Amino acid sequence: MLFDAASPDLSISTPSLAPGPAPLSPPAEAVRAARALAPRLFAQAAATDAEATFPGQEFAWLRAAGLLTAPLAPALGGAGLGAPAATEALLDVLRHVGRGNLAVGRLYEGHVNALLLIQLYGHAAQLQGWAADAAAGRLFGVWNTEDPAQGVRLEPLPGGRYRLFGAKTFASGAGYVHRPLVTGALAEGHGWQMFVLPADAQAPALDRSFWRPLGMRATASYRADLTGLEIGPADLLGPPNAYYRQPWFGGGASRFAAVQMGGAEAVFDETRRFLQRLGRTDDPYQRQRLGQMALLRESGRQWLRGAAARAALPADAAAGPQPAAAAYAGLVRTAIEQIGLAMLPLAERCVGARGLLQPEPFERLHRDLTHYLRQPAPDAVLADVGRFVLDGHDF
Ligand SMILES: Cc1cc2nc3c(=O)[nH]c(=O)nc-3n(C[C@H](O)[C@H](O)[C@H](O)COP(=O)(O)OP(=O)(O)OC[C@H]3O[C@@H](n4cnc5c(N)ncnc54)[C@H](O)[C@@H]3O)c2cc1C
């Protein structure tokens, strides 16, 4: 059954915002809302830590906090988080949501990514329609990862319509996301086309047995078979091959890295809490490890600030900074992968075997972060950075 974001309990109000001397900008308001929401997401995370669940309540909270529309431009009813100048705020929002619950962060990052692509490539009528969908609580996602045996293709029909064949894997939120942005091959090598599937009317066939993961259980990342579904011209987004255009494709790595960084920060926060609760704060070895973990956390935050600074460079600097933005995002995702991988064993040594028992959150945090750190082609991305600098470019 499709998730109806209008139906979950919306009675829990938007986190209250204390009056300040000067009103915050809409991006800063979004950061404040996400920061305020993180503890509530964290408290709820164990309850949805299962393959057959979806964090619908959490998305009702995100909606109530204005975060489902926040990536849209103000003219479309959003907070403008998609503007290059607001990238630091966007990455902060993603980090806070990931800190609360990495599975929710993954799903929310897909929603954000789809809305950014729609704003890059959609025409006016599409923008209005999809912005209204987001305002109505409809969830978006991006499904690009192919079924290795049977990738998605679009077969033309009369009237500019297409019949779909093939399947996606790791289709996060499948069965709950109303508007997945999907990619597929056009006939006779005409390229790789984006379209937004109205999944509430054209529902893919789901194979839930695909999703028996180590972690990230609540993302519902099933196999989705689109065979036999039909789309029309209004569902197509942008020209063929737009999906992989740089720097937007590579630059997007900073967004999933921000969510991952939130997961690493949750490990830090909980380790500190655990040691404080047990009164184990005077031991020099524990102190040294917490110092090392604080260093990792601050490094990750600095990497995200660096990514935001480069994304905010003016577009007319395309000859220089724009290719650098994608290469830099490759560094950011690699650095944050290493930060996550270094944070986990430090935390495990701090909390010991007792800390790895439920209801302590560490075993879930470990599973979720370990799984979510696996992203496409990690080695090739770093090799691309090597080629970039060997070719004489720099950041
Ligand atoms: C929780 C979760 C949710 C996800 N949700 C979505 C979603 O909603 N939409 C979506 O599109 N995708 C989604 N994905 C998929 C994700 O985007 C990646 O496709 C996936 O994580 C790839 O990871 P991988 O480790 O299998 O990558 P790979 O690229 O297969 O890397 C694995 C290893 O193989 C190596 N390698 C890569 N290519 C080659 C090659 N040609 N020859 C030899 N070695 C190679 C790499 O260097 C690495 O060592 C999700 C993934 C996760 C974990």
Side-chain angles (χ1 to χ4, degrees):
M1 191 175 70
L2 276 167
F3 164 59
D4 180 2
S7 62
D9 177 18
L10 296 179
S11 61
I12 295 164
S13 61
T14 307
S16 63
L17 306 177
L24 291 174
S25 66
E29 289 283 7
V31 174
R32 189 147 83 163
R35 186 188 299 117
L37 202 50
R40 195 188 300 166
L41 292 173
F42 190 86
Q44 176 81 355
T48 54
D49 180 30
E51 284 94 346
T53 61
F54 183 83
Q57 171 74 80
E58 287 83 337
F59 275 92
W61 293 341
L62 288 170
R63 182 186 180 198
L67 294 173
L68 291 192
T69 50
L72 295 168
L76 294 168
L81 285 186
T87 303
E88 185 167 349
L90 174 64
L91 296 181
D92 266 353
V93 166
L94 290 165
R95 184 170 60 83
H96 286 305
V97 177
R99 190 164 62 84
N101 182 333
L102 216 39
V104 175
R106 191 331 45 196
L107 288 158
Y108 181 62
E109 193 275 329
H111 178 86
V112 168
N113 191 11
L115 293 184
L116 298 187
L117 286 165
I118 282 168
Q119 290 176 96
L120 266 181
Y121 299 114
H123 55 67
Q126 289 179 318
L127 287 177
Q128 293 297 338
W130 288 323
D133 282 341
R138 297 199 174 90
L139 294 182
F140 289 71
V142 176
W143 297 350
N144 183 52
T145 305
E146 293 271 78
D147 180 307
Q150 196 194 16
V152 170
R153 61 180 209 280
L154 291 73
E155 296 280 339
L157 296 171
R161 297 188 63 75
Y162 290 89
R163 182 166 297 137
L164 305 173
F165 294 88
K168 293 291 183 184
T169 53
F170 292 96
S172 284
Y176 303 93
V177 164
H178 305 79
R179 300 280 179 271
L181 190 163
V182 187
T183 52
L186 292 166
E188 297 169 11
H190 281 86
W192 192 241
Q193 179 65 49
M194 290 187 280
F195 58 93
V196 177
L197 183 74
D200 37 8
Q202 295 281 306
L206 305 183
D207 177 2
R208 291 179 169 80
S209 71
F210 172 82
W211 190 235
R212 287 183 292 172
L214 170 69
M216 304 294 279
R217 291 168 174 168
T219 59
S221 300
Y222 305 134
R223 178 183 185 275
D225 194 335
L226 280 62
T227 302
L229 303 181
E230 286 187 20
I231 55 171
D235 301 316
L236 299 184
L237 178 67
N241 300 325
Y243 180 74
Y244 286 115
R245 273 189 201 160
Q246 296 290 18
W248 297 282
F249 177 70
S254 300
R255 291 192 296 274
F256 70 65
V259 179
Q260 292 171 337
M261 192 56 217
E265 290 199 18
V267 173
F268 174 92
D269 292 343
E270 289 305 300
T271 304
R272 177 167 56 178
R273 176 198 57 78
F274 184 90
L275 293 177
Q276 287 171 336
R277 184 164 55 80
L278 291 190
R280 291 188 161 190
T281 54
D282 291 334
D283 179 74
Y285 303 108
Q286 297 284 25
R287 285 181 174 176
Q288 191 276 344
R289 268 194 294 268
L290 264 289
Q292 184 66 28
M293 291 170 75
L295 185 156
L296 290 169
R297 184 181 66 164
E298 183 56 20
S299 307
R301 289 178 176 177
Q302 293 288 358
W303 277 108
L304 294 175
R305 284 189 200 110
R310 278 155 184 85
L313 290 173
D316 63 2
Q322 288 295 2
Y328 194 83
L331 280 188
V332 173
R333 69 166 266 194
T334 306
I336 289 181
E337 181 199 8
Q338 291 173 2
I339 285 166
L341 290 175
M343 193 77 97
L344 287 170
L346 287 167
E348 284 150 20
R349 286 197 189 99
C350 283
V351 305
R354 181 159 35 147
L356 297 176
L357 302 176
Q358 290 185 20
E360 290 297 338
F362 295 102
E363 61 87 31
R364 175 176 51 77
L365 293 173
H366 178 108
R367 283 187 284 105
D368 284 353
L369 185 56
T370 301
H371 205 155
Y372 192 41
L373 286 174
R374 293 304 109 231
Q375 291 293 328
D379 306 298
V381 164
L382 199 52
D384 281 348
V385 176
R387 183 172 52 199
F388 178 80
V389 292
L390 284 169
D391 284 349
H393 304 298
D394 226 320
F395 304 103

